[in-house]
C-alpha cells in the first residue's frame, strides 16, 4: 500500500475494526486491478459508509449491491480495469454474480408462531455461519428469502433444515423471484423548525431533540442507508432514515409554513 492510500485508510477509519476492514477492502481493489472482478463480504450501513469514503478518496470504480435496490446489507463489487461499468440489475444476471438468493419454506402450523428475523438469524448462526456472508433476511408470510454469498448456497440447501421448532426446506432461486416484504405504514403530519436531520429524527421516532442528537452522534442514524453523524444535515423529500433498533421512517412530503414559521411535513414510519 502506497503512502497516499495508507493516509486515506487511516483518515476514513474511525476504529481499529474499521482499519482492519478497509485493509481487506484494499486487497480486493488490488485483486480487481490485476484483472479479475472481486467483491467483499457483506457490510452493514456503517461499514458501507466507511468503505464508500475510502473508495471515493482513491477514485475506485465500485458497485454496492445487496441483491436488490435499497438493500440494507451490501457487498462492494469491483470490476476489472477493462470491463465496462455495470449497473446492479445487469450484474445480477451474470453467471459470475457473487450473490445467491435462498428461499426458505415451511409447512404452516396453527399451534406454532411464525419465525421472526431473529429466529432465522439464530438458525444460521447455529450452523456456524458468519454474519459477514449473509445479506438481508426478508421475512414472508410463510417463509423467508435470504441473500447470501453464492459460495454458501449449496451448504444452506443441505444444512438449513430447522428454524426454531419448525422444519424448513431451503433452496436456491433466481433473483427475479425475489419478493420484498410489504410493510405497514403509519403516516403522520407534524411541524418542525427545519429539515435538519435531528429535527426529523426527533419527530419521526417520538424522541426529544437532545435524544435524537445523541443517537446521531453515536452513529446509530442512517440517512439513505449511509451513516450520518451530522444533526444539521438537511433531509430531502423521499429520503429514508433508519435508527438502529427502532426502524425506519421516510420524509414523504414537505408542506407550507405555519403561522409560527414551522414547516409542515408528512412522515411515514414502516412497521
Amino acid at each position: 500500500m502506497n503512502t497516499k492510500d495508507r493516509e486515506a485508510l487511516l483518515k476514513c477509519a474511525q476504529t481499529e475494526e474499521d482499519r482492519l476492514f478497509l485493509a481487506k477492502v484494499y486487497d480486493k481493489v488490488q485483486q480487481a486491478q490485476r484483472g479479475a472482478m472481486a467483491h467483499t463480504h457483506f457490510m452493514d450501513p456503517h461499514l458501507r459508509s466507511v468503505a464508500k469514503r475510502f473508495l471515493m478518496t482513491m477514485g475506485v470504480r465500485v458497485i454496492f449491491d445487496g441483491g436488490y435496490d435499497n438493500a440494507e446489507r451490501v457487498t462492494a463489487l469491483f470490476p476489472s480495469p477493462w470491463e465496462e461499468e455495470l449497473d446492479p440489475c445487469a450484474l445480477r444476471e451474470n453467471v459470475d454474480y457473487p450473490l445467491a438468493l435462498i428461499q426458505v419454506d415451511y409447512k404452516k402450523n396453527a399451534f406454532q408462531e411464525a419465525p421472526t428475523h431473529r429466529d432465522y438469524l439464530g438458525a444460521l448462526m447455529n450452523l456456524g455461519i458468519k454474519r459477514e456472508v449473509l445479506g438481508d433476511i426478508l421475512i414472508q408470510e410463510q417463509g423467508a428469502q435470504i441473500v447470501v454469498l453464492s459460495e454458501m448456497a449449496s451448504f444452506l440447501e443441505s444444512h438449513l433444515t430447522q428454524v426454531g421448532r419448525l422444519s424448513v426446506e431451503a433452496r436456491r432461486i433466481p433473483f427475479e423471484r425475489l419478493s420484498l416484504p410489504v410493510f405497514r405504514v403509519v403516516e403522520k403530519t407534524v411541524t418542525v423548525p427545519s429539515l435538519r436531520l435531528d429535527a426529523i429524527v426527533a419527530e419521526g421516532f417520538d424522541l426529544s431533540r437532545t435524544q435524537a442528537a445523541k443517537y446521531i452522534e453515536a452513529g446509530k442514524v442512517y440517512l439513505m442507508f449511509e451513516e450520518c453523524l451530522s444533526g444539521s444535515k438537511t433531509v430531502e423529500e423521499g429520503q429514508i432514515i433508519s435508527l438502529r433498533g427502532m426502524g425506519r421512517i421516510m420524509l414523504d412530503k414537505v408542506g407550507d409554513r405555519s403561522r409560527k414559521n414551522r414547516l409542515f411535513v408528512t412522515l411515514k414510519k414502516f412497521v
Side-chain angles (χ1 to χ4, degrees):
M1 184 181 297
N2 61 44
T3 302
K4 182 179 178 181
D5 291 343
R6 184 181 300 278
E7 290 177 350
L9 186 153
L10 294 175
K11 182 178 180 181
C12 295
Q14 300 175 19
T15 64
E16 179 65 14
E17 181 182 356
D18 290 350
R19 189 189 67 78
L20 294 174
F21 166 72
L22 290 182
K24 294 179 181 179
V25 171
Y26 185 83
D27 289 342
K28 295 299 182 180
V29 172
Q30 297 303 303
Q31 180 181 333
Q33 291 179 348
R34 289 193 293 268
M37 179 178 285
H39 64 87
T40 66
H41 286 126
F42 282 100
M43 55 188 88
D44 60 23
H46 166 71
L47 291 180
R48 172 168 54 178
S49 296
V50 172
K52 186 175 181 179
R53 289 195 299 269
F54 177 53
L55 296 169
M56 286 180 64
T57 302
M58 294 178 62
V60 174
R61 291 194 308 159
V62 61
I63 300 168
F64 291 99
D65 187 47
Y68 65 99
D69 295 342
N70 295 325
E72 183 167 319
R73 294 178 60 81
V74 299
T75 57
L77 309 175
F78 305 104
S80 60
W82 53 77
E83 286 181 301
E84 295 182 359
E85 192 71 40
L86 297 174
D87 67 83
C89 291
L91 197 62
R92 292 167 199 152
E93 299 176 0
N94 192 312
V95 293
D96 296 323
Y97 183 55
L99 307 185
L101 181 63
I102 302 297
Q103 175 72 49
V104 182
D105 294 312
Y106 62 87
K107 291 184 178 180
K108 192 170 184 178
N109 185 336
F111 302 100
Q112 179 69 42
E113 292 185 0
T116 64
H117 185 282
R118 179 176 295 183
D119 292 326
Y120 283 101
L121 183 58
L124 293 164
M125 297 294 101
N126 288 337
L127 292 175
I129 297 174
K130 294 182 178 180
R131 190 68 174 100
E132 64 187 14
V133 302
L134 301 172
D136 288 350
I137 300 173
L138 307 173
I139 305 300
Q140 299 175 313
E141 184 176 349
Q142 196 167 324
Q145 292 181 337
I146 308 171
V147 183
V148 301
L149 292 183
S150 56
E151 63 203 50
M152 296 301 303
S154 296
F155 178 84
L156 290 177
E157 287 180 311
S158 300
H159 294 86
L160 184 57
T161 58
Q162 187 167 347
V163 175
R165 297 182 179 180
L166 290 174
S167 296
V168 301
E169 178 185 0
R171 67 186 190 282
R172 183 172 183 170
I173 61 173
F175 272 94
E176 62 188 26
R177 293 175 56 188
L178 184 144
S179 177
L180 293 177
V182 178
F183 293 98
R184 185 169 66 89
V185 177
V186 177
E187 184 177 296
K188 67 176 181 178
T189 298
V190 297
T191 62
V192 292
S194 71
L195 297 179
R196 284 174 52 116
L197 179 61
D198 52 5
I200 301 299
V201 168
E203 289 293 344
F205 294 100
D206 297 320
L207 303 170
S208 70
R209 191 78 171 264
T210 300
Q211 288 175 314
K214 287 182 178 179
Y215 280 125
I216 294 168
E217 292 171 3
K220 295 184 177 182
V221 175
Y222 302 90
L223 179 61
M224 291 305 292
F225 307 99
E226 292 187 14
E227 184 180 67
C228 186
L229 300 174
S230 174
S232 63
K233 177 77 172 179
T234 299
V235 183
E236 300 176 359
E237 279 189 353
Q239 289 191 320
I240 295 173
I241 301 170
S242 306
L243 175 53
R244 192 184 305 167
M246 297 184 68
R248 298 177 183 174
I249 62 171
M250 182 176 72
L251 176 56
D252 185 54
K253 184 179 180 181
V254 178
D256 298 326
R257 287 192 175 273
S258 69
R259 292 181 179 179
K260 295 183 179 181
N261 202 34
R262 291 172 64 91
L263 279 169
F264 284 99
V265 297
T266 300
L267 304 174
K268 290 183 176 180
K269 186 170 185 179
F270 304 96
V271 296

